[in-house]
Amino acid sequence: MSDSAFDWLSAAELSKLFARRQASPVEIVDAMLKRASALQPHLNAFVLVDAEGAQSAAKAAESRWQKGEPLSPFDGIPTTIKDTTNVKGWPTRLGSHSTDETPAIENAAVVDRFLAGGMIILGKTTTPEFGWKALTDSPLQGTTRNPWNVAHSPGGSSGGASALTAAGVNPFNHGNDGGGSIRIPAAHTGLVGLKPSYGRIPQSPADAPFADVISQGVLARSVLDTAMALNLTAGPDPRDWRSLPAEARDYTVGLDAGVRGWKIGLSLDLGHVQADPEVRDLIVAAAKRFEDLGAHVEEVGPMFEPLQQHFEPLWIGSFATRFRQIPTQLHDKLDPGLRALAEKGLSITLADYARAYEAKSKLARDLALWHRNYDLLLAPVTPTAAPPVETLYNSEAFPRWTKGAPYTLPCNLTGQPAASMPAGLTKAGLPVGLQIIGPPRADDVVLRAMRAYEGASGWTWPQPRVLETLRGL
């Protein structure tokens, strides 16, 4: 498989080429579709590809650029939508045999925002069944693989999005995050992954299970692209009563102001989690870069009690809600791990759920108060690098609460913004992610820290080991 001149360019770089008429959306889309087709048999990242629709949209975008009338800086930039999210006219299968090919009757709010900016949707990407786990395999769509090493998972649940972005198919891809589903795959594939503040980007339908912890976002290769994508997608929508009020803010303004003088906490344990020694070493080294940038970093130890005791009812109770909606004759076609949790969730009582919500409120309050004294909190994104694709999630060997999402879930419960940034590679050549956590609703603070770290980390694309893998396909 040969590289094209466009494979590793950021969306911001492509936008400049469009403005100067040094490249066109038509040739970009053609190149990306060609690369996607070559990689699909090896990565299995796509659920659906709409080549004809993408090419038609590219022609329209090219015409707008030629007239000097782009809809946004991202007009003509290709992206994809995770298959937990509705695109009008396409089915939303959620990785499950319990769904069907009925097309969605309207776009999700985030899709409308992409389209209003002229972005081109290449297709939909893979997810585990109902997005239930931090790996990406499903009974319906099979196993998605990591371009760093195809024997390993790209993480989940936005695993198809992360695989495409890390493989150089297109600059960034849509994901969502209800327990780490943007940050975990970003960490496992060396990407930039921001979970914005809860409600910053509206979601629809807003009454689905887990809707009160999910944030929409993108998995990208640059912080600038991430900030520009937030500009395009942030803001309220009447379909989501929880969406935050509009802000007169350009998230690219002040992005390069740095972190000098900031007070930053580092927690390797967070909620009494034990990360692999190699992960801990990489996170400590990454945190020191903030000291080089003029910030004060101090270790703060564990931040709160282990999460499972308080919050498992929210998780398995919500899966039980979904389970009750699935016809009995289809239960045997579910992911066995998901079914086991959903059946366990059938015993959750209203009192259990209420106590979990009380704990959720307390956690949000405690972390908000902690941020009175600290500008940021740093932690690992995951306790391990990307696990092998055959890993059984929430098994004895890989339990969710200690291996799957122990570092990321807290910020879904509190709603505060958090991001994954590349922290380096293990000896086996797999990426590790540094988590940057900001105060409530301070997306601009997190983006500013991400940008400062990005400039100091020396992480660039394409990565040699990714290329070695891809060229061997």
Side-chain angles (χ1 to χ4, degrees), residues 21-257:
R21 301 191 182 180
Q22 295 174 337
S24 78
V26 171
E27 61 182 326
I28 296 297
V29 165
D30 286 345
M32 292 180 180
L33 286 171
K34 181 179 179 181
R35 188 173 182 85
S37 178
L39 287 168
Q40 176 63 8
H42 307 281
L43 299 181
N44 188 33
F46 272 106
V47 172
L48 175 157
V49 176
D50 181 19
E52 184 177 344
Q55 288 162 336
S56 176
K59 291 175 184 176
E62 182 176 73
S63 177
R64 291 190 292 268
W65 279 106
Q66 288 173 344
K67 294 175 183 176
E69 299 173 351
L71 297 175
S72 80
F74 282 169
D75 199 346
I77 302 294
T79 192
T80 63
I81 304 299
K82 181 179 175 182
D83 196 31
T84 55
T85 305
N86 288 345
V87 177
K88 185 178 180 180
W90 295 351
T92 305
R93 297 302 308 269
L94 298 124
S96 181
H97 288 291
S98 68
T99 62
D100 59 34
E101 291 290 328
T102 302
I105 60 173
E106 69 172 3
N107 292 322
V110 67
V111 176
D112 279 336
R113 299 283 167 86
F114 283 142
L115 293 175
M119 294 198 72
I120 296 168
I121 301 178
L122 298 177
K124 299 191 83 173
T125 57
T126 53
T127 179
E129 191 165 31
F130 299 114
W132 83 277
K133 60 183 178 180
L135 308 174
T136 299
D137 58 82
S138 72
L140 181 65
Q141 287 141 359
T143 298
T144 300
R145 296 175 181 271
N146 192 326
W148 287 84
N149 185 327
V150 293
H152 289 257
S153 173
S157 61
S158 306
S162 66
L164 291 177
T165 311
V169 172
N170 60 311
F172 66 78
N173 291 286
H174 164 260
N176 48 34
D177 190 316
S181 290
I182 288 174
R183 288 161 290 159
I184 291 169
H188 286 338
T189 55
L191 297 174
V192 173
L194 170 67
K195 181 199 80 68
S197 295
Y198 178 73
R200 182 69 66 204
I201 302 172
Q203 57 185 346
S204 55
D207 57 351
F210 300 107
D212 59 347
V213 295
I214 294 174
S215 292
Q216 305 295 322
V218 299
L219 293 100
R221 293 192 296 265
S222 82
V223 176
L224 179 58
D225 277 5
T226 304
M228 293 175 69
L230 192 57
N231 282 343
L232 191 64
T233 54
D237 185 285
R239 292 171 288 180
D240 182 4
W241 63 271
R242 301 180 183 91
S243 53
L244 295 176
E247 287 188 336
R249 180 186 295 279
D250 178 345
Y251 287 99
T252 67
V253 173
L255 202 57
D256 293 312

Side-chain angles (χ1 to χ4, degrees), residues 366-386:
D366 290 348
L367 283 177
L369 290 172
W370 184 88
H371 275 288
R372 285 182 171 181
N373 298 314
Y374 292 90
D375 297 287
L376 295 173
L377 173 61
L378 304 179
V381 175
T382 58
T384 70

Side-chain angles (χ1 to χ4, degrees), residues 3 123 167 186 201 263 270 308 406 434 452:
D3 294 336
I201 302 172
K263 186 177 180 182
L270 204 55
Q308 183 174 6
L434 169 71

Side-chain angles (χ1 to χ4, degrees), residues 221-396:
R221 293 192 296 265
S222 82
V223 176
L224 179 58
D225 277 5
T226 304
M228 293 175 69
L230 192 57
N231 282 343
L232 191 64
T233 54
D237 185 285
R239 292 171 288 180
D240 182 4
W241 63 271
R242 301 180 183 91
S243 53
L244 295 176
E247 287 188 336
R249 180 186 295 279
D250 178 345
Y251 287 99
T252 67
V253 173
L255 202 57
D256 293 312
V259 295
R260 183 168 297 279
W262 287 15
K263 186 177 180 182
I264 299 174
L266 168 64
S267 178
L268 297 172
D269 309 295
L270 204 55
H272 300 272
V273 188
Q274 293 299 313
D276 287 353
E278 199 171 9
V279 171
R280 293 170 70 93
D281 290 346
L282 285 168
I283 296 304
V284 169
K288 287 180 179 177
R289 293 194 177 98
F290 282 97
E291 292 187 333
D292 297 337
L293 292 164
H296 171 70
V297 180
E298 61 183 54
E299 291 201 34
V300 294
M303 296 288 294
F304 39 78
E305 297 176 359
L307 298 175
Q308 183 174 6
Q309 175 184 350
H310 296 298
F311 299 114
E312 188 166 57
L314 296 180
W315 188 40
I316 64 175
S318 293
F319 284 131
T321 299
R322 174 78 73 175
F323 186 67
R324 290 186 178 100
Q325 299 166 355
I326 297 171
T328 304
Q329 63 269 26
L330 296 177
H331 287 180
D332 287 343
K333 292 189 175 182
L334 294 172
D335 182 320
L338 171 61
R339 179 176 177 176
L341 282 176
E343 289 178 335
K344 183 180 178 183
L346 294 173
S347 64
I348 295 298
T349 67
L350 182 59
D352 295 332
Y353 218 73
R355 281 192 292 270
Y357 260 89
E358 290 174 4
K360 181 175 183 285
S361 298
K362 181 180 183 298
L363 179 65
R365 181 200 68 196
D366 290 348
L367 283 177
L369 290 172
W370 184 88
H371 275 288
R372 285 182 171 181
N373 298 314
Y374 292 90
D375 297 287
L376 295 173
L377 173 61
L378 304 179
V381 175
T382 58
T384 70
V389 292
E390 62 270 15
T391 299
L392 293 178
Y393 194 75
N394 208 42
S395 63
E396 185 176 344

